Each structure stands twice: as structure tokens, then as C-alpha cells.
Amino acid sequence: MARLLPLLLLLFLTVLLSRLPSPCASLPIRLNLTHINSKFSNISIEDRNLLAIKRGKLRLAFISSRLSTSLVDVQTNVQYSNQEYSADLAIGTPPVSVSVLLDTGSDLIWTKCEQGSAYNPSASSTYSPLSCGSTFCQNELTSCSDGSTCSFYSPYGSATVGGTMGAETFSFGGTNVPSLAFGCSNSEMGSATTISGLLGMGGGQLSLVSQLGSEKFSYCLTPYDSQSTSPLFLGSLANPDSSSQTTPLGQSPNIPTYYYLSLQGITVGSTKLSIPSSAFAISSDGSGGLIIDSGTSFTMLVPSAYDVLKQEFQSQMGLPVASGNTFDLCFSSPSDGSFQPPKLIFNFQGADMDLPKENYLVSDAGGSLLCLAILPSDQSLSLFGNFQQQNMHIVYDVQGGNLYFAPAQCANL
């Protein structure tokens, strides 16, 4: 019996430790996000909208091609400049500041490491190459062909990023996180050459969310025309507001990167649209569904939903329809300042998102047009964009499988 006690004690401690949360899971992390429009101050609002729409359509095509093998391969037409918000953080010891793009539709964390880049792994005392035996070297983006170097290659349509996988200390708003697996890029092609790196927040193994063991993360996006940054919260700071509504948050079993919402209908004014139930269903081949995405500006809906929305919205607006070069449905701007558009409500499972008019109407053509900031999808997939998410505190409860949202003044969080 005396010999069994140490073994029983060891077994007890092993079980106890296995149930403890990840040491990084409770870290309170806050980052400030900057919208890409701040870099385009020298061009008109109309041109900014055109760039945003182009980025969104290219992104939609790339995600669709990745989800379904039965779709036409359109990756060769996709550009990498499809992101919307960037975050400043620090890498290495001593820490070096870098700006990376935030993306809930990607997993990999990577930054440039070639000569002339801000971050140089050889100058950091906390950098180490990732071994071939690491669990982070066992996925579709990584390989170990020479048996000693864990490398990565990540295609983004016509742009690609490649290099070696490493582990390094990252600093998020003053909070240090050691030994994060990341891609140290020494080869970028296409429009990937114009950015410094990416912060993947998807549901896959390599994402920041997964590596931290975070049960939740959240963001609150300030309006496009605001000069204020948008907060991103991880760990204990990512708590839903008391007034939040909640709806199921789904993930594909084949590609866990993307976050899906169950959209059951759309209401314009007081009219619930007659949209077929199949419009937002995920097909057996992996296509379809509605993905909530931080990297897409304007929501894009499959034709079976968008066409019904367009017809009813046009009927209720009561303004002359006008041709626009940017959006699909535009009206002559009202001269009466008291004009009120019809309400637009997204009816998710268990929750209704009643959008403020600033989240679905946008001024165009020098203010002479008022346009619906929702577009038709040319794929079998729909995306819920960040324009519709402005001034909403949105919490991704990844562990619990729920999305919480509530109206908020994001600049004040």
C-alpha cells in the first residue's frame, strides 16, 4: 500500500493539472485597431468605397474556393489586400513594434523577417525555430520536407507568403505572451508585399485565439469616418454587455477557421421577407452559409436573399432610384432632412440585430446619392461585413458556441 501512495498522488496531480485552464487563457489583453481608410486620406469617399467593394468581392471568391472543392477555382484572381483593420503590437526581446492586419477569417500569425524588415529573429533572445515534432507543424499550412526545418506556405490567391515557423514572445498592449507559434516570412509575392504581417483570429490551431486558449474574444468597431481606434479584447476583458443578445456561433468541421451565423430571415420596415430557408444553409459540399467576417467591408448576400431585399427596400424607401457607379441600389438623396428610411433587421436564430441607418445606408457621388451598403454575392456563400458591425460590441464565445452583440459607443470602451 505504501508503494501505491506515491503513484496515486501522482495520478491525482496529473488529472488536476490537466483540468486547469491554459496559463494564457485568462490574460486580459486589449489592442487598438485602426481602419484601413485612415491610410487613404488623399482619395475620395467614393474611391474608398470602390476599393472596399473590390476587396470584399475578391475575399468572397477566395473563401468560397477554399470551402468547396466543387466550385470553380478563382484563386488566381484574388488579391491579398482584402483586410480592413490593423493592430500595433511588439515582437521579440528586445521588443520591436510591428503593425499587422486583423483577420477573423485566417488562422496563421505571421510577420516579415527578411532583411530590412522591422523584426529580425537573429536579434531577439527569445526567438527559437519551431521543431518538426511540434504540434504546430502538423497542419495544411506547414511542412517539414528536409526533416529539420518547419516551414510554412500560405497562398492568398495571386499572393503568397512563405518562410519558417518559429516561437517568439509577443507583446499585446503591454501584456507579454511567450512562445507563440508564428510564421517568419522571408518570401512574399503579389500584394502581400505591401503589408507587414497578419494576426489570425480564426478557429484553427495556429490562430491567436486557439494558441492562447481563449474562450472568448471581442471587438467594437468605430464608424468608418471616426478618428478613434477600435478596441479588441481577449481573455477576461472579452465580456458581453448586460443588454447583449445571443445567437449560435458555428464552425465548419472541415475548415474550423470560419465563424458561421444562423441567419433565419431579414425584415425591412415591418415586413419579414420571403427568403427561402436554403438561402443561408451550408451545403453537403461545404459551400453556402453566412460567415461573419472582420475582413470584409460590406455584407454580401446570395441572390435568392439579396434580390428579395432589394425589391422590398426599393419599394419602402419612397425615393427615386438613381444609377450609381459604386453600389447596386442607390437613390437620389432626400432634400428633406427629416426623411427616415425603413428599418433593416437581421433575424438571427434567437436574436434580432436592428441596424441603425448609419450601418446600412451610405452617401455616394459627392452626397447626391444614398445607397444600400449591402451587395449581391456572386458565390453560393454570404458574408456579414464589418460596416454592418459598426458601433456594436461583438463577443465571440468560441468555447460556448455563441455570439453576443449589443449596440455600443465603441470609442468609449
Side-chain angles (χ1 to χ4, degrees):
M1 183 66 182
R3 293 180 178 179
L4 286 176
L5 284 176
L7 293 176
L8 291 173
L9 180 60
L10 179 61
L11 178 62
F12 172 76
L13 289 174
T14 301
V15 173
L16 179 63
L17 289 172
S18 68
R19 295 184 177 182
L20 290 176
S22 165
C24 294
S26 60
L27 286 178
I29 294 176
R30 173 183 174 134
L31 283 174
N32 292 324
L33 308 175
T34 303
H35 193 269
I36 197 172
N37 275 0
S38 65
K39 301 176 182 179
F40 295 148
S41 58
N42 60 332
I43 63 175
S44 67
I45 293 176
E46 289 74 23
D47 286 340
R48 294 182 199 179
N49 289 335
L50 281 171
L51 286 171
I53 291 172
K54 180 181 179 181
R55 291 193 302 269
K57 289 182 176 180
L58 292 170
R59 183 174 178 84
L60 173 70
F62 173 69
I63 294 176
S64 295
S65 66
R66 188 177 178 214
L67 287 170
S68 176
T69 56
S70 65
L71 297 178
V72 176
D73 181 9
V74 294
Q75 294 187 33
T76 56
N77 295 323
V78 179
Q79 299 295 321
Y80 189 59
S81 55
N82 54 12
Q83 313 301 323
E84 297 294 324
Y85 289 87
S86 63
D88 293 328
L89 50 89
I91 306 177
T93 306
V96 175
S97 297
V98 296
S99 179
V100 295
L101 296 171
L102 174 83
D103 192 5
T104 59
S106 297
D107 294 325
L108 184 67
I109 305 167
W110 67 266
T111 190
K112 289 182 178 179
C113 295
E114 64 260 33
Q115 186 176 4
S117 300
Y119 172 71
N120 179 2
S122 63
S124 172
S125 62
T126 47
Y127 171 82
S128 61
L130 209 64
S131 69
C132 289
S134 169
T135 56
F136 296 113
C137 196
Q138 316 295 323
N139 60 79
E140 63 176 357
L141 297 179
T142 60
S143 63
C144 216
S145 56
D146 63 359
S148 61
T149 303
C150 182
S151 58
F152 78 95
Y153 175 82
S154 187
Y156 298 92
S158 60
T160 58
V161 179
T164 58
M165 292 293 295
E168 180 60 282
T169 295
F170 280 65
S171 179
F172 302 96
T175 300
N176 291 334
V177 180
S179 302
L180 274 183
F182 77 112
C184 200
S185 174
N186 54 31
S187 175
E188 303 89 32
M189 296 182 64
S191 49
T193 59
T194 63
I195 63 174
S196 299
L198 187 140
L199 189 64
M201 298 290 291
Q205 178 197 33
L206 291 172
S207 76
L208 178 65
V209 178
S210 297
Q211 290 195 58
L212 292 183
S214 295
E215 296 182 355
K216 298 188 296 261
F217 72 93
S218 71
Y219 54 68
C220 197
L221 305 179
T222 55
Y224 278 19
D225 58 357
S226 171
Q227 298 301 310
S228 301
T229 57
S230 303
L232 167 70
F233 303 106
L234 292 101
S236 58
L237 295 178
N239 293 314
D241 304 302
S242 58
S243 60
S244 293
Q245 298 186 67
T246 181
T247 185
L249 183 68
Q251 289 176 275
S252 168
N254 298 324
I255 302 180
T257 303
Y258 306 113
Y259 301 109
Y260 289 83
L261 298 180
S262 179
L263 182 59
Q264 299 186 328
I266 300 174
T267 298
V268 177
S270 59
T271 302
K272 185 75 172 287
L273 303 182
S274 298
I275 298 174
S277 58
S278 59
F280 305 111
I282 301 176
S283 303
S284 57
D285 65 356
S287 62
L290 173 76
I291 291 174
I292 181 170
D293 186 28
S294 69
T296 297
S297 291
F298 305 109
T299 293
M300 288 180 280
L301 303 175
V302 290
S304 58
Y306 176 81
D307 292 345
V308 180
L309 168 63
K310 178 180 179 180
Q311 181 178 3
E312 184 62 31
F313 198 85
Q314 179 176 327
S315 173
Q316 292 193 32
M317 273 292 279
L319 294 174
V321 176
S323 298
N325 295 323
T326 308
F327 295 92
D328 182 65
L329 178 61
C330 293
F331 306 88
S332 298
S333 291
S335 55
D336 184 357
S338 63
F339 170 79
Q340 290 297 322
K343 281 184 169 293
L344 181 59
I345 303 171
F346 279 73
N347 307 118
F348 296 107
Q349 181 180 337
D352 294 328
M353 185 179 285
D354 189 345
L355 297 176
K357 61 182 179 181
E358 294 82 7
N359 285 24
Y360 61 91
L361 286 174
V362 61
S363 178
D364 201 43
S368 63
L369 298 180
L370 196 60
C371 302
L372 179 64
I374 295 175
L375 300 165
S377 168
D378 56 5
Q379 306 290 328
S380 60
L381 173 71
S382 297
L383 297 180
F384 192 71
N386 59 50
F387 190 85
Q388 278 64 50
Q389 300 174 48
Q390 295 175 99
N391 271 340
M392 293 267 183
H393 185 204
I394 298 180
V395 180
Y396 293 69
D397 180 3
V398 181
Q399 183 72 23
N402 291 298
L403 183 98
Y404 297 84
F405 62 87
Q409 292 300 309
C410 296
N412 299 331
L413 291 186

